[in-house]
Amino acid sequence: EDQVTQSPEALRLQEGESSSLNCSYTVSGLRGLFWYRQDPGKGPEFLFTLYSAGEEKEKERLKATLTKKESFLHITAPKPEDSATYLCAVPSYTSGTYKYIFGTGTRLKVLA
Amino acid sequence: NAGVTQTPKFRVLKTGQSMTLLCAQDMNHEYMYWYRQDPGMGLRLIHYSVGEGTTAKGEVPDGYNVSRLKKQNFLLGLESAAPSQTSVYFCASSPDSRLVSTDTQYFGPGTRLTVL
């Protein structure tokens, strides 16, 4: 069964303290792994797409990497404005049925 | 561009009442989606559309209907609301483009629905 699991559920960092968020996935035929950021009371905002193992994408203090089983979102020297919930998702198209499977997210809080 | 907009932002219903949520996008996207987001369960796909006049079931379609009469609009209907449908509803759209993955979704701000 297609599945996405994110860890940890919540993470508190001091400003400048680097860390990584994990997204483990199981899907038949990877069409891409997507990272989104969601601020409280708002819809998810697209960050990155990764398509194949070994691929990396960067945006400001964020870097996403992909292996055959998981993806990491590395946050380098975070700032309070990086506080948000980070979601990963994988699309799946099996037996004529389309799914877009989201993990439950990692709630990141960066303290000044 | 306004992107993806949703109407209304908040709504309270009584059990058995009906309502329609409206999603509009001005990006000329082909694909549109409705999700619900519940604590501890993440976002779940309700219905989606791959073009004007088409709709398909997602992961949790029961109790909902949809229509896509115009390319820019995607409506989600609740015929007889139940407390289990209390949730935050998000609409999203994605392009049919060779430059951007068709699975890259752009989300609206959400509608918070409470069913009493």
Side-chain angles (χ1 to χ4, degrees):
Chain A
E1 182 183 344
D2 298 335
Q3 189 170 289
V4 174
T5 304
Q6 290 188 248
S7 62
E9 283 188 21
L11 183 63
R12 290 167 68 93
L13 299 174
Q14 292 293 324
E15 184 173 4
E17 180 186 1
S18 302
S19 189
S20 297
L21 283 54
N22 178 263
C23 172
S24 298
Y25 65 92
T26 304
V27 65
S28 305
L30 184 67
R31 292 163 52 117
L33 185 139
F34 295 75
W35 281 99
Y36 292 83
R37 168 189 171 130
Q38 185 174 23
D39 292 299
K42 296 188 177 181
E45 178 186 352
F46 170 72
L47 291 173
F48 303 111
T49 310
L50 301 166
Y51 291 103
S52 57
E55 188 175 359
E56 299 183 353
K57 293 273 181 74
E58 284 190 69
K59 180 180 181 181
E60 296 182 354
R61 295 174 293 282
L62 300 177
K63 183 168 80 171
T65 62
L66 183 66
T67 72
K68 289 186 178 179
K69 294 183 178 180
E70 57 193 351
S71 177
F72 292 94
L73 186 64
H74 306 280
I75 304 176
T76 302
K79 297 182 178 182
E81 53 261 43
D82 294 321
S83 297
T85 296
Y86 291 87
L87 304 168
C88 67
V90 291
S92 167
Y93 197 77
T94 307
S95 301
T97 301
Y98 179 78
K99 299 179 184 178
Y100 203 82
I101 305 167
F102 276 91
T104 52
T106 294
R107 292 190 312 278
L108 174 65
K109 178 72 172 176
V110 182
L111 304 171
Chain B
N1 288 349
V4 179
T5 57
Q6 294 183 231
T7 309
K9 289 184 169 55
F10 303 93
R11 185 70 186 269
V12 179
L13 290 178
K14 293 181 180 179
T15 297
Q17 288 185 318
S18 63
M19 77 162 294
T20 300
L21 282 66
L22 172 63
C23 175
Q25 52 95 4
D26 62 1
M27 297 175 284
N28 201 35
H29 284 176
E30 284 294 328
Y31 309 130
M32 297 187 74
Y33 314 83
W34 276 107
Y35 292 88
R36 58 179 291 172
Q37 187 173 38
D38 303 292
M41 301 196 71
L43 284 147
R44 292 180 293 168
L45 183 63
I46 304 172
H47 286 281
Y48 64 98
S49 168
V50 299
E52 182 178 319
T54 73
T55 63
K57 294 180 180 179
E59 183 183 358
V60 287
D62 294 342
Y64 305 95
N65 56 75
V66 289
S67 64
R68 182 106 180 263
L69 299 179
K70 294 183 179 180
K71 184 177 182 178
Q72 63 269 32
N73 295 338
F74 195 27
L75 278 62
L76 178 71
L78 285 71
E79 293 179 343
S80 180
S84 60
Q85 294 177 304
T86 294
S87 187
V88 181
Y89 292 85
F90 288 100
C91 176
S93 69
S94 59
D96 180 9
S97 168
R98 293 177 182 175
L99 298 177
V100 177
S101 166
T102 55
D103 295 312
T104 301
Q105 299 191 8
Y106 299 87
F107 284 81
T111 294
R112 186 171 295 275
L113 175 66
T114 301
V115 183
L116 302 176

